[in-house]
């Protein structure tokens, strides 16, 4: 898979590309991450990319011609071109899974007050990572790229991703490691002495409990098995 990021701040992506799982995925040629400076597509000798808004108002607007040239220089007929904007479709794990199957993704990051609206004629989809406003699309682009790269085959040791929060539709069960007792806080007995069936049951129960307490909206959407329904009854009595 190839991910190309169009940005006015290419250096923001250096740590993203050169640490941990993403770095290894690039080294192992699981993904290619190209970062392209939108400013290279200005025709202006001062490399301007923005201008004042028609109709007046504060701030600057990124020019459509600059963005069009930048997008055309990196896209091919198979590319999915995403525009990062707080007005976009809300990003979630389901969309990450969908995007992870693509061969070529182009992510356009805005900054300043916004883009000339006509850029929508040159992109496939507007994406937002949540209901809050960032200074630019760069962090949001990293969120999308990161969540898509970790789903590529070979990117992480755990290939299944079946237990990921949100993939199952439930939040993840709690994890523990040594020491078994710290500052008076102990690891649940079942994880130390339990058998596989008991551990599985404990984890499903805790996963359901955490989801029920923190994200009841996810339980609503979930097609609970009879075992889960029984557990949920117990949880409701317990809390
Ligand atoms: Cl994609 N961009 C900006 N600037 N702010 C955001 C966002 C994107 N998603 C949530 N907030």
């Amino acid at each position: 898979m190839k991910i190309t990021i169009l940005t006015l701040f290419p250096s923001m992506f250096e740590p993203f590309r050169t640490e941990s799982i993403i770095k290894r995925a690039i080294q192992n040629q699981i993904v290619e991450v190209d970062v392209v400076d939108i400013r290279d597509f200005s025709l202006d000798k001062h490399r301007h990319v923005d201008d004042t808004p028609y109709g007046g108002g504060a701030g600057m607007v990124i020019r459509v011609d600059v963005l069009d040239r930048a997008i055309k220089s990196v896209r091919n007929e198979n590319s999915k071109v995403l525009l990062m904007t707080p007005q976009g479709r809300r990003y979630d794990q389901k969309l990450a899974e969908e995007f992870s199957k693509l061969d070529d993704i182009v992510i356009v990051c805005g900054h300043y007050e916004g883009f000339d609206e006509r850029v929508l004629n040159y992109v496939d989809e507007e994406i937002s990572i949540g209901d809050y406003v960032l200074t630019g699309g760069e962090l949001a682009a990293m969120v999308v790229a990161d969540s898509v790269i970790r789903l590529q085959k070979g990117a992480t040791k755990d290939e299944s991703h079946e237990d990921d929060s949100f993939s199952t539709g439930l939040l993840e069960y709690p994890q523990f490691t040594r020491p078994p007792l710290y500052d008076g806080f102990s690891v649940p007995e079942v994880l130390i002495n339990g058998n596989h069936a008991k551990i599985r049951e404990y984890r499903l129960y805790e996963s359901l409990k955490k989801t029920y307490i923190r994200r009841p909206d996810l339980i609503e959407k979930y097609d609970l098995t009879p075992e889960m329904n029984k557990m949920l009854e117990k949880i409701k009595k317990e809390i």
Side-chain angles (χ1 to χ4, degrees):
M1 151 180 275
K2 181 176 171 186
I3 301 178
T4 307
I5 294 155
L6 296 179
T7 174
L8 289 164
F9 301 95
S11 64
M12 283 181 76
F13 292 89
E14 266 330 287
F16 176 72
R17 287 198 288 188
T18 57
E19 295 286 354
S20 187
I21 292 170
I22 307 303
K23 170 184 168 178
R24 210 172 52 234
I26 294 168
Q27 280 172 346
N28 295 341
Q29 295 178 29
I30 288 163
V31 65
E32 182 183 341
V33 178
D34 285 2
V35 181
V36 173
D37 191 344
I38 294 172
R39 217 170 276 286
D40 292 345
F41 298 87
S42 167
L43 297 179
D44 184 304
K45 71 171 180 231
H46 302 294
R47 306 204 348 126
H48 288 137
V49 294
D50 51 6
D51 209 334
T52 52
Y54 277 118
M60 300 291 272
V61 177
I62 304 180
R63 292 169 56 112
V64 62
D65 61 318
V66 176
L67 289 169
D68 182 28
R69 282 192 295 274
I71 292 165
K72 284 207 170 78
S73 80
V74 299
R75 75 161 305 158
N76 64 48
E77 61 285 0
N78 286 319
S79 303
K80 177 99 164 171
V81 184
L82 307 178
L83 180 72
M84 303 314 297
T85 151
Q87 284 123 45
R89 172 175 173 194
R90 172 78 79 85
Y91 192 65
D92 62 11
Q93 187 64 23
K94 213 164 151 240
L95 207 44
E97 279 160 22
E98 201 181 305
F99 289 168
S100 74
K101 296 182 184 106
L102 299 171
D103 272 341
D104 193 284
I105 303 178
V106 175
I107 308 180
V108 185
C109 308
H111 228 90
Y112 313 125
E113 297 308 307
F115 319 92
D116 185 309
E117 187 78 3
R118 292 169 292 179
V119 71
L120 298 185
N121 296 300
Y122 306 98
V123 304
D124 297 309
E125 193 155 4
E126 296 172 80
I127 300 292
S128 161
I129 62 163
D131 293 341
Y132 39 81
V133 181
L134 304 167
T135 59
E138 284 76 15
L139 290 171
M142 284 183 236
V143 167
V144 170
D146 185 285
S147 57
V148 162
I149 292 169
R150 70 179 282 284
L151 291 175
Q152 300 301 303
K153 197 165 168 39
T156 61
K157 280 203 197 93
D158 177 13
E159 290 288 73
S160 66
H161 301 297
E162 278 162 20
D163 285 345
D164 286 357
S165 287
F166 305 112
S167 281
T168 58
L170 299 175
L171 302 183
E172 255 178 273
Y173 52 77
Q175 300 270 27
F176 300 88
T177 188
R178 277 178 282 272
L181 180 68
Y182 182 73
D183 199 22
F185 300 109
S186 59
V187 173
E189 197 61 30
V190 60
L191 297 177
I192 297 170
N193 296 320
N195 56 46
H196 285 302
K198 285 268 177 259
I199 291 170
R200 184 200 147 272
E201 199 175 295
Y202 162 84
R203 286 179 167 164
L204 179 57
Y205 186 86
E206 292 303 319
S207 178
L208 271 169
K209 186 163 112 185
K210 194 176 275 189
T211 311
Y212 178 70
I213 293 167
R214 298 189 185 176
R215 294 293 305 276
D217 58 303
L218 295 177
I219 299 274
E220 296 282 314
K221 283 186 243 163
Y222 202 92
D223 197 12
L224 296 170
T225 63
E227 183 192 20
M228 290 164 125
N229 268 317
K230 245 173 94 184
M231 283 183 175
L232 201 57
E233 289 317 307
K234 196 169 154 209
I235 289 163
K236 286 175 185 170
K237 281 188 206 126
E238 186 196 310
I239 60 168

